[in-house]
Amino acid sequence: MSSSCDALLKALKECLLNSDCVQKQGHLPSECLKQHSNELPEQCQLLRKSTFECKRNMLDMRTRFRGNTVGMDAEKLRQQKTPAPPAQS
């Protein structure tokens, strides 16, 4: 898969692993996505939709030339959350 969707996939995996569906109910993350998607937190549901949009845009010829903006936005957000290393003098 393209690296433009990697940030979204990582965020979705982390969200699923921290959800009550996996933590308290003991379901597998794949089961939570397929069978218990309505029980997931809103953040996980939004990440799931964004991941779908990112994958779909990879196949859309119009966005292939312009770039996958859904995945790029996620990458920008991830970089903003990651603190920059301190400058050494």
Side-chain angles (χ1 to χ4, degrees), residues 32-44:
C32 292
L33 273 179
K34 293 176 185 173
Q35 300 166 357
H36 305 282
S37 61
N38 57 343
E39 299 172 15
L40 292 173
E42 185 178 353
Q43 180 185 6
C44 293

Side-chain angles (χ1 to χ4, degrees):
M1 180 177 310
S2 173
S3 62
S4 64
C5 298
D6 283 347
L8 284 171
L9 285 173
K10 288 178 184 176
L12 178 59
K13 288 177 187 178
E14 186 176 318
C15 186
L16 284 172
L17 291 174
N18 293 327
S19 69
D20 287 345
C21 183
V22 173
Q23 294 285 328
K24 294 181 180 176
Q25 297 173 7
H27 297 294
L28 294 173
S30 59
E31 290 176 352
C32 292
L33 273 179
K34 293 176 185 173
Q35 300 166 357
H36 305 282
S37 61
N38 57 343
E39 299 172 15
L40 292 173
E42 185 178 353
Q43 180 185 6
C44 293
Q45 292 178 5
L46 292 174
L47 284 169
R48 180 180 183 218
K49 183 177 179 181
S50 296
T51 304
F52 169 77
E53 293 288 329
C54 185
K55 288 180 180 181
R56 186 177 71 178
N57 284 341
M58 287 173 50
L59 300 174
D60 187 3
M61 294 307 275
R62 293 172 292 173
T63 58
R64 289 183 83 175
F65 289 112
R66 288 184 243 148
N68 199 347
T69 57
V70 175
M72 285 191 260
D73 291 342
E75 184 65 27
K76 287 178 188 175
L77 287 173
R78 187 180 65 80
Q79 288 176 355
Q80 288 175 355
K81 288 182 180 179
T82 307
Q88 296 178 351
S89 300

